[in-house]
Amino acid sequence: MELFLQQLINGIVQGSIYALIALGYTMVYGVLRLINFAHGDVFMLGAFIGFYTANLLGISQPSVGALILVMTVSMAGSAAVGLVIERFAYRPVRKFSRLTSLITAIGVSLLLEYAAQFVFGATPKSFPTIFETQNISLFGNVTISNDSILIIIVSIFLMVMLNLIVFKTKLGKAMRAVSFNLDVAKLMGINTDFIIAFTFALGSALAAAAGILYSVHFTKIDPLMGLLIGLKAFVAAVLGGIGNITGAVLGGLLLGIAEIMVSGYISSSYKDVFAFLILILVLIVKPAGLLGSAAQEKV
Amino acid sequence: MLQLQDLHVSYGAIKALKGITIEVKQGEVVTLIGANGAGKTTTLRTITGLLTPKQGKVLFEGKDISGTPTHKVVAQGICMSPEGRGVFANLSVEENLELGAYLASDPARIKSDLEKVFALFPRLKERLKQISGTLSGGEQQMVAIGRAMMARPRLLLLDEPSLGLAPLVVKSIFQAIDEINKAGTTVLLVEQNAHTALKHSHRAYVLETGTIVLEGSSEELAADKRVREAYLGE
Ligand SMILES: Nc1ncnc2c1ncn2[C@@H]1O[C@H](COP(=O)(O)OP(=O)(O)OP(=O)(O)O)[C@@H](O)[C@H]1O
Ligand SMILES: [Mg+2]
């Protein structure tokens, strides 16, 4: 029982990070019907922007304030990167077939990975301590680290904010209109190019937040760190029903928990295989995902 | 108010419009009739900037608007109820109407425009909170027209508003179109239902495979032998 609870907590922490990244996949898919394969690399860039921000500011005292500062800079920087990718890579090919966009996405992903290796160096870096981590004993042998609590709280906060933007603001209503039908959205007077760009910025900022939380928790970053996590977050988005915001969160949490359970009870060497096994199963059994349906709300 | 001058539009190698010239004057209801694939929807999509012409001009109040992004065309006062209605099926009737007023920011104005739409289609007031995807076809058409009116268009484009509707519903939709026009909105109406369209319009154009083959007052065309044979089933 204790092992189970411990695994559950670890799974939720892992799953929150997947969920934050999955949101970006699902939102961009919603407005563009595009799998943004470069999204995992934006997560990586978020971590590196955080790394350099913390080092440049010479943060010596770890604190919540330092974390918020680093995270804000990283989110803003990554949002800008997202805007640039959308404007110069995806927008010019939008009028061509979907396959063109997909190949462009793979190209952008490779570009970011190799550029990052060139600029930052290929060897892993230690993420500066901007937040003092310590373990808190819950009961028996079950513990939770304070950075795990932080990951959960920040994730919930960001997801609530996203929900408010998407469902309570005019901008969010425009996003939902664009995801439902691009041409009709235009006929409402919506500047759809702006809405699509905004969606990229929003998704990229969430990926950056995940990048910082991941780095604080796992402390090592490298230019290819977004590869596997990005793929898994994509699996999470498909699992939840791509295009569906609630589905992305659900898919992320489920995948995180399932993966930690597998490594706890079976073997950790199977955990990556397991994620893709889930993907294959979902595609066979319920291709639209858990919350996906024919007439779903796609953002 | 609106002039299409020698408009050519293609989809890749397919020529959908082969140089059409159409004029809509302030205050008119003009109808564009034609069979399947004649190019009616293409014409409306070109006016709203969803398509860009290969050649020719779209003049709105004397200004060439061809190639202008759609949201800017809408801001200039042209709104459309698209083919297939294009209702946001996952949103409520109210949210659909609010999206129609996307460019308006004054809540008092939006409220008074909502009342005008309810006066036009009392049914929508009863269905305000209903998810639009669960409405009947006629009700969805009311949402599409009502939503277009929320932007206070000076020119309203309607793409086959009668498609798939029962005669009684068609009648009430066309009554609403009459009212909209009487209240000062110019209308360009695309229809396959030539009989009803000619009754509710001032002038008409007949489109055949991308070319205007006939034009005149609606009364004249309704009496024209070729129109009677080809479009009124006589
Ligand atoms: N997206 C497209 N790609 C290629 N060809 C198209 C496309 N849309 C329309 N066409 C072609 O252009 C021509 C005109 O089509 P359009 O939709 O304008 O006709 P329509 O008069 O509105 O017909 P309907 O009454 O059936 O709605 C047709 O031959 C059609 O096959
Ligand atoms: Mg048509």
Side-chain angles (χ1 to χ4, degrees):
Chain A
M1 190 61 198
E2 279 187 3
L3 175 64
F4 178 80
L5 283 176
Q6 185 65 59
Q7 305 284 35
L8 189 65
I9 291 172
N10 296 347
I12 291 173
V13 170
Q14 180 72 53
S16 301
I17 289 176
Y18 290 153
L20 283 177
I21 308 171
L23 283 166
Y25 276 111
T26 229
M27 286 195 293
V28 165
Y29 182 83
V31 295
L32 275 189
R33 302 295 182 271
L34 165 75
I35 308 295
N36 178 14
F37 276 113
H39 191 57
D41 304 305
V42 174
F43 159 86
M44 173 272 294
L45 281 180
F48 273 92
I49 294 173
F51 173 87
Y52 286 107
T53 307
N55 280 346
L56 279 178
L57 293 176
I59 290 171
S60 51
Q61 281 301 94
S63 67
V64 175
L67 177 93
I68 292 177
L69 178 68
V70 168
M71 192 179 282
T72 310
V73 172
S74 164
M75 286 172 78
S78 299
V81 170
L83 288 176
V84 169
I85 294 175
E86 190 278 328
R87 181 64 188 84
F88 296 104
Y90 296 142
R91 197 182 297 184
V93 300
R94 213 191 283 159
K95 57 179 176 291
F96 303 120
S97 77
R98 290 244 191 102
L99 187 63
T100 314
S101 295
L102 204 65
I103 293 168
T104 306
I106 294 170
V108 172
S109 172
L110 290 173
L111 177 74
L112 291 179
E113 281 159 20
Y114 286 100
Q117 289 189 0
F118 180 72
V119 176
F120 308 139
T123 46
K125 289 182 161 41
S126 284
F127 199 75
T129 312
I130 55 173
F131 186 80
E132 195 79 67
T133 59
Q134 56 198 145
N135 279 334
I136 300 162
S137 173
L138 290 179
F139 47 84
N141 287 324
V142 182
T143 64
I144 184 166
S145 61
N146 62 345
D147 59 309
S148 299
I149 299 177
L150 179 90
I151 289 177
I152 295 170
I153 292 177
V154 172
S155 302
I156 292 175
F157 171 76
L158 291 174
M159 288 168 198
V160 169
M161 292 303 286
L162 179 69
N163 217 55
L164 288 178
I165 292 175
V166 172
F167 292 101
K168 297 282 182 248
T169 67
K170 195 167 174 175
L171 213 54
K173 201 185 279 175
M175 283 170 70
R176 287 184 288 153
V178 168
S179 76
F180 193 79
N181 186 326
L182 186 69
D183 280 349
V184 181
K186 288 180 183 170
L187 288 171
M188 302 297 105
I190 294 170
N191 181 349
T192 53
D193 280 350
F194 173 77
I195 297 296
I196 289 169
F198 175 75
T199 306
F200 266 88
L202 208 55
S204 303
L206 290 177
I212 299 296
L213 293 175
Y214 174 93
S215 309
V216 167
H217 191 69
F218 294 101
T219 67
K220 282 269 182 291
I221 64 172
D222 72 90
L224 297 182
M225 66 193 273
L227 209 61
L228 192 57
I229 293 188
L231 273 176
K232 287 188 189 165
F234 169 63
V235 171
V238 173
L239 173 63
I242 192 136
N244 186 304
I245 285 188
T246 320
V249 175
L250 184 70
L253 288 175
L254 282 179
L255 185 65
I257 293 169
E259 213 181 81
I260 301 282
M261 293 292 171
V262 166
S263 48
Y265 287 106
I266 304 171
S267 158
S268 63
S269 42
Y270 289 132
K271 91 178 206 268
D272 296 340
V273 178
F274 185 72
F276 299 104
L277 197 67
I278 288 187
L279 177 66
I280 293 168
L281 281 179
V282 171
L283 291 178
I284 293 171
V285 179
K286 202 165 187 306
L290 294 175
L291 298 187
S293 66
Q296 63 179 314
E297 191 144 344
K298 293 200 182 72
V299 170
Chain B
M1 173 175 246
L2 177 78
Q3 283 158 307
L4 309 184
Q5 293 179 346
D6 188 33
L7 214 54
H8 292 254
V9 180
S10 307
Y11 300 95
I14 302 166
K15 290 190 178 125
L17 295 181
K18 304 164 191 162
I20 65 166
T21 296
I22 287 179
E23 183 173 15
V24 181
K25 299 197 193 85
Q26 175 96 37
E28 282 188 314
V29 177
V30 171
T31 186
L32 183 61
I33 55 181
N36 287 116
K40 307 181 295 297
T41 299
T42 303
T43 307
L44 295 191
R45 288 175 64 83
T46 309
I47 297 170
T48 50
L50 291 171
L51 293 171
T52 312
K54 268 242 156 65
Q55 194 186 314
K57 281 181 184 164
V58 179
L59 298 177
F60 183 59
E61 297 181 327
K63 228 176 85 197
D64 188 3
I65 58 165
S66 51
T68 306
T70 303
H71 67 276
K72 289 191 179 148
V73 173
V74 173
Q76 288 181 36
I78 302 181
C79 289
M80 171 153 98
S81 159
E83 182 170 61
R85 297 159 196 138
V87 165
F88 296 110
N90 52 341
L91 301 184
S92 70
V93 170
E94 188 174 27
E95 288 175 302
N96 265 280
L97 295 175
E98 282 168 5
L99 271 167
Y102 185 78
L103 293 175
S105 47
D106 174 16
R109 168 184 159 169
I110 295 175
K111 205 157 175 282
S112 92
D113 287 352
L114 260 181
E115 289 305 324
K116 282 184 201 154
V117 170
F118 296 152
L120 221 46
F121 304 113
R123 182 79 67 87
L124 294 187
K125 192 167 186 175
E126 299 159 21
R127 301 290 154 102
L128 210 53
K129 301 288 174 196
Q130 192 170 328
I131 294 300
S132 307
T134 62
L135 296 172
S136 75
E139 289 161 349
Q140 291 196 8
Q141 187 59 59
M142 293 174 193
V143 172
I145 297 177
R147 189 178 60 183
M149 290 310 291
M150 289 298 291
R152 294 196 181 173
R154 282 177 294 147
L155 174 64
L156 176 66
L157 311 178
L158 300 170
D159 198 343
E160 301 206 37
S162 77
L163 193 74
L165 304 184
L168 219 58
V169 184
V170 173
K171 203 173 152 197
S172 73
I173 295 280
F174 272 87
Q175 267 166 8
I177 296 171
D178 290 345
E179 278 176 48
I180 288 170
N181 179 244
K182 279 206 196 85
T185 307
T186 309
V187 178
L188 176 56
L189 169 69
V190 155
E191 264 299 343
Q192 280 196 53
N193 181 346
H195 185 75
T196 314
L198 290 172
K199 255 204 311 213
H200 291 265
S201 56
H202 303 104
R203 289 189 306 112
Y205 292 84
V206 179
L207 191 59
E208 261 172 32
T209 54
T211 317
I212 299 287
V213 292
L214 275 174
E215 60 177 281
S217 80
S218 299
E219 269 172 46
E220 274 166 31
L221 286 198
D224 187 280
K225 189 165 162 285
R226 286 162 294 177
V227 174
R228 297 185 76 89
E229 277 170 7
Y231 299 100
L232 299 175
E234 289 177 14

